[in-house]
Amino acid sequence: MLLVLMYEIEFIKPDSFSSKELEGLVSALKIAGQKDVKTSSGKASTKGSGQRYKHLPSIEKTVSDLEDMGVRVYGFDETSSVPMDGTVMWENIAGYEHQKREIEDTVLLALQNPQIYDDIARGTRCKFETNRPRAVLFEGPPGTGKTSSARVIAKQAGVPLLYVPLEIIMSKYYGESERLLGSVFSLANNLPDGGIIFLDEVDSFAISRDSEMHEATRRILSVILRQIDGFEQDRRVVVIAATNRKEDLDPALISRFDSMICFGLPDQQSRAEIAAQYAKHLTKSELVQFSLATEEMAGRDIRDICMQAERHWASKFIRGQIPKDEKGEPPLPPIDEYVACAEQRRKSLPDRTRPAASRSGPPLKL
Ligand SMILES: Nc1ncnc2c1ncn2[C@@H]1O[C@H](COP(=O)(O)OP(=O)(O)OP(=O)(O)O)[C@@H](O)[C@H]1O
Ligand SMILES: [Mg+2]
């Protein structure tokens, strides 16, 4: 049973939401806004503005309502120094230093120090207008760390992150998706310390060619555009949208992004660093060998290859094809196993003949 307040909400219901379900979701987002944290002992630790919301339903009730309607709620316990399941830190995202820095500069610093940004804007503008980012686009091929980075931001920003995978909330019934999105945005606007709305795989509704879907797409897009424009100046709300098909996005949406962070395929050095996350027993020169075998592959490919190598190795051990080590335990997979799995994986990869500009490097800016 979930006992922690979750700052990240994932909708897994592959269908439309009823009014009752929408109400449950709205109440969950309100709870997320108060920053109350339940510890594993079941004791509530109230932080900051949480006191203001003590009349809201209990977290247990909200979580169980969400689970009943097929919504999965998960996150982390801020009071614990031990990362909980699903928590990602910058250290777990190897390489991509430019992108991390850019995220810190454009999203995190503004969320953590809004006053400084506003003071500067007050000193420079005839009419005050916030210079803090409202919308940022994460762009790049699949498996390059866009969603993982959003999770780190949620952890570091100290504000709730509302995770909205758009293709799942898309409904065949007109009106429901827009209502749901509208609720998410307006609740984020009402959060006492602001929040991040993460629109994952935002391209998933922009590429549809079906005319009925096209109409739904248009309506959802117009909600997003209106909402981004309507953010209150004094609020700390940022939309982060992720896509691997930027070219399919609506130009009006693209023009709303204050910044665009490009997650390219990792270069060789980054591939070695990613491999070191998942095969820490390999030597430096073995990691280089592995990185050469994974050219044109994304972080997710490298992780999957490592898992595959471990599975192969385990099955060989169980079948008695590999002897125990001196401690009587299974030895760890050698580099050859990883390289063989990488070669196997390469056969199933789509053609990734891409221009060099799309490799991991300094992020592109609008
Ligand atoms: N730089 C990296 N370092 C370590 N692991 C990585 C890195 N990039 C990706 N991974 C691994 O790949 C997995 C998938 O990454 P993630 O979901 O963040 O990719 P994405 O860019 O959001 O992909 P998609 O476009 O398909 O949604 C991560 O959970 C992580 O295990
Ligand atoms: Mg993703």
Side-chain angles (χ1 to χ4, degrees), residues 42-227:
K43 226 172 126 187
S45 106
T46 307
K47 289 189 165 191
S49 51
Q51 290 287 4
R52 283 186 250 159
Y53 296 87
K54 47 189 172 198
H55 303 302
L56 288 172
S58 76
I59 289 164
E60 283 86 352
K61 167 86 172 61
T62 307
V63 167
S64 102
D65 286 350
L66 284 164
E67 286 174 343
D68 285 349
M69 66 193 225
V71 173
R72 187 156 48 102
V73 185
Y74 65 101
F76 53 85
D77 182 348
E78 279 194 317
T79 59
S80 166
S81 58
V82 182
M84 295 193 62
D85 188 34
T87 302
V88 191
M89 316 290 283
W90 277 142
E91 304 87 87
N92 305 126
I93 302 176
Y96 294 88
E97 298 308 325
H98 289 290
Q99 286 81 351
K100 292 177 191 170
R101 180 65 198 264
E102 182 73 0
I103 288 169
E104 300 224 321
D105 287 353
T106 55
V107 185
L108 286 173
L109 291 182
L111 280 167
Q112 290 160 349
N113 312 278
Q115 202 54 48
I116 293 176
Y117 287 72
D118 288 354
D119 286 350
I120 291 172
R122 280 198 187 86
T124 57
R125 312 290 169 91
C126 295
K127 177 178 179 295
F128 174 73
E129 181 189 28
T130 185
N131 54 16
R132 284 182 270 121
R134 293 169 174 218
V136 176
L137 181 69
F138 287 2
E139 187 245 325
T144 48
K146 300 181 292 297
T147 302
S148 306
S149 295
R151 290 184 180 202
V152 178
I153 293 169
K155 174 79 180 165
Q156 296 216 336
V159 298
L161 181 139
L162 314 179
Y163 180 79
V164 188
L166 282 189
E167 86 286 2
I168 291 172
I169 62 160
M170 269 191 63
S171 159
K172 57 186 172 174
Y173 303 110
Y174 282 172
E176 286 192 27
S177 306
E178 294 99 285
R179 261 182 60 196
L180 176 65
L181 260 181
S183 303
V184 171
F185 275 89
S186 69
L187 282 163
N189 248 324
N190 288 333
L191 295 175
D193 297 317
I196 298 168
I197 299 173
F198 186 59
L199 305 177
D200 206 1
E201 303 176 55
V202 75
D203 53 275
S204 60
F205 64 85
I207 57 169
S208 173
R209 298 200 183 141
D210 180 89
S211 61
E212 194 186 343
M213 295 303 286
H214 183 74
E215 172 61 13
T217 296
R218 199 184 56 72
R219 292 161 68 111
I220 291 174
L221 257 178
S222 78
V223 169
I224 295 172
L225 301 180
R226 261 203 325 272
Q227 294 288 348

Side-chain angles (χ1 to χ4, degrees), residues 312 315-323:
H312 277 176
S315 73
K316 282 184 190 170
F317 180 76
I318 293 163
R319 289 175 200 282
Q321 294 163 356
I322 298 158

